Amino acid sequence: MSGTLDGQVVLITGTSGGIGRAAVLALAAEGARVVGVSRTPDHDDALAQAVAARGSTYLHLAGDARRAEVAKEAVRLCLERFGRIDILVNNAARWYFSALVDQQEENYDKVMNLNIKAMYFMTQAA
């Protein structure tokens, strides 16, 4: 990789798998130091090791990104460890794949709570 993010600090939500995990690896390969937030209760040692192999650092914060206090804690962790945040990636999201007419109100609430509320509080805190 080109190292275009050397020294940059990235805060990203939804890092336990899929796009979030791939984003952590791609950002680290470009030289970014990454703080990830996911509901996974334990530090993701495999991800931290993969990031370290790319010459960077990964810190994990276990928490629900829909909660304002988790967003504040994530920002505090970035500032305490790295002194700044350069990039925020609001990746945490959910969707229920079914026809619109088949969607249930409780599923709509879950989607809105994560896709909108988490993004709002993380952006506000950053």
Side-chain angles (χ1 to χ4, degrees), residues 9-58:
V9 177
V10 178
L11 173 56
I12 180 171
T13 63
T15 59
S16 63
I19 294 169
R21 189 177 192 84
V24 168
L25 294 171
L27 292 162
E30 290 294 334
R33 297 171 289 175
V34 183
V35 174
V37 179
S38 74
R39 290 180 294 163
T40 305
D42 297 320
H43 177 73
D44 192 334
D45 289 329
L47 185 54
Q49 289 173 2
V51 169
R54 287 162 171 78
S56 195
T57 304
Y58 174 72

